[in-house]
Amino acid sequence: MENTNIIWKKFRNSNYEVSNTGLVRSVKYRTPRPIKPILMKSNGYYYISTVINNVYQKFRLHRMVMECFCGASDLTVDHINGIKSDNRLENLRYCTIWENIHNPVTLAKLKNRR
C-alpha cells in the first residue's frame, strides 16, 4: 500500500492520530510513533491504550477510526466483511444492532457455527 493513500486525523483533542487504514500513532514527540493495538481475546476486537489529559483510557480501534472520520455516534460499528481485525475505514459503517446482526456476512458466520 502506498503512503499517499493514508490519511491521518487527530483523535479527539489528544496526542494521537488515527489513519483511514486503521493505524494509530502518537504525535507527542518530534517523530510520530506507531501504537501497537492489543487484541481482546474475549471478543476478537483490537483496542488501543491511551493517556488523554492524564487519564488512562482504552478505546476499541474500530470506534476510533469511525469517530475520527465519520464523527461520534451511539450506533453500532459494523465490520462489513465480518473480519474484526480489518479496521480500514472502507470496511466500517455505523448501523443499528439489528442491521449489524443481519449483515449477510454475519448471518453466514452464525449459520456455519451450528
Side-chain angles (χ1 to χ4, degrees):
M1 182 181 300
E2 293 181 28
N3 287 341
T4 56
N5 296 334
I6 298 177
I7 300 168
W8 293 94
K9 291 198 175 188
K10 193 169 200 77
F11 180 67
R12 298 187 178 176
N13 191 19
S14 71
N15 291 318
Y16 299 94
E17 290 181 341
V18 179
S19 78
N20 60 325
T21 60
L23 302 173
V24 178
R25 66 184 180 185
S26 170
V27 292
K28 182 177 180 179
Y29 305 100
R30 184 175 300 174
T31 304
R33 297 180 182 177
I35 304 294
K36 184 178 179 182
I38 300 165
L39 178 64
M40 294 175 135
K41 292 181 181 178
S42 61
N43 61 17
Y45 292 105
Y46 281 97
Y47 71 90
I48 301 291
S49 295
T50 65
V51 178
I52 299 175
N53 297 324
N54 295 322
V55 178
Y56 173 79
Q57 298 176 54
K58 293 180 186 177
F59 295 97
R60 288 186 178 164
L61 182 53
H62 57 278
R63 280 238 161 241
M64 292 177 78
V65 172
M66 286 299 287
E67 184 175 324
C68 286
F69 289 89
C70 300
S73 176
D74 291 332
L75 291 171
T76 300
V77 177
D78 180 31
H79 289 81
I80 298 166
N81 67 6
I83 301 171
K84 294 177 181 180
S85 61
D86 185 355
N87 293 299
R88 294 171 297 129
L89 179 61
E90 64 196 43
N91 184 49
L92 303 174
R93 67 178 179 139
Y94 280 131
C95 65
T96 64
I97 293 172
W98 189 91
E99 291 169 327
N100 191 10
I101 293 169
H102 290 87
N103 175 336
V105 175
T106 305
L107 287 174
K109 283 186 173 184
L110 291 173
K111 186 177 180 182
N112 289 336
R113 275 187 179 173
R114 296 180 187 146

